[in-house]
Amino acid sequence: MTLRTFTDFDAAFITTPITKDIAVKTNARAISFAIKNLILTMNGERPFNSDIGTPVKRLLFELYGDTLNIVLRKMISDVIYNYEPRAVLLQVDIKGSPDNNSIYITITYKVVNTEQPITVNVILERTR
């Protein structure tokens, strides 16, 4: 069984000092970055594919409670399942901090064909 290497460009377009090529992220770092981007991208924000993304930023202004947790968990699970085939989602934990106007999301997944679980933390904060 051969393991695949997953690579993505670094979003900051940083160049490597030796080759002067654009730096790349590989495997878990690439997938974790892609998951964060999927969650933080609003529907309609990407040209020619308005389905990609979640409306989680809009939900920050809703009353925090069990219902919001269920809705957020479902949205995040769906976007990862539909648009990140390199990840096998294991768990989504959501903790709200209404006093700080933020929501802490912990996503646990594993890369396809591996057994090691990887954790990604995303913090959603209100800016207004």
Side-chain angles (χ1 to χ4, degrees):
M1 178 169 123
T2 59
L3 294 176
R4 292 179 57 190
T5 300
F6 299 108
T7 58
D8 288 345
F9 289 117
D10 191 307
F13 291 107
I14 298 170
T15 58
T16 58
I18 298 170
T19 64
K20 304 295 184 202
D21 289 334
I22 295 175
V24 293
K25 293 184 179 194
T26 57
N27 294 331
R29 287 185 63 213
I31 296 168
S32 295
F33 187 75
I35 288 172
K36 283 182 183 179
N37 276 340
L38 284 171
I39 293 168
L40 297 175
T41 300
M42 297 288 290
N43 293 97
E45 206 171 351
R46 289 199 184 173
F48 307 109
N49 197 344
S50 61
D51 294 335
I52 293 178
T54 62
V56 295
K57 289 180 186 175
R58 283 189 218 127
L59 294 177
L60 284 172
F61 294 95
E62 297 296 325
L63 184 62
Y64 184 77
D66 291 338
T67 305
L68 183 62
N69 277 353
I70 293 167
V71 170
L72 283 171
R73 189 173 291 114
K74 176 73 171 137
M75 286 179 177
I76 292 167
S77 300
D78 286 349
V79 77
I80 293 170
Y81 178 77
N82 291 328
Y83 296 107
E84 190 47 76
R86 305 174 292 182
V88 176
L89 185 63
L90 300 176
Q91 187 172 344
V92 177
D93 291 322
I94 299 171
K95 292 187 176 152
S97 179
D99 294 336
N100 295 327
N101 296 323
S102 57
I103 296 174
Y104 302 96
I105 302 168
T106 303
I107 300 163
T108 307
Y109 72 95
K110 63 181 186 171
V111 178
V112 173
N113 296 328
T114 65
E115 293 300 320
Q116 180 182 3
I118 298 157
T119 302
V120 178
N121 294 309
V122 180
I123 300 172
L124 301 174
E125 297 177 307
R126 287 189 224 180
T127 55
R128 295 187 209 184

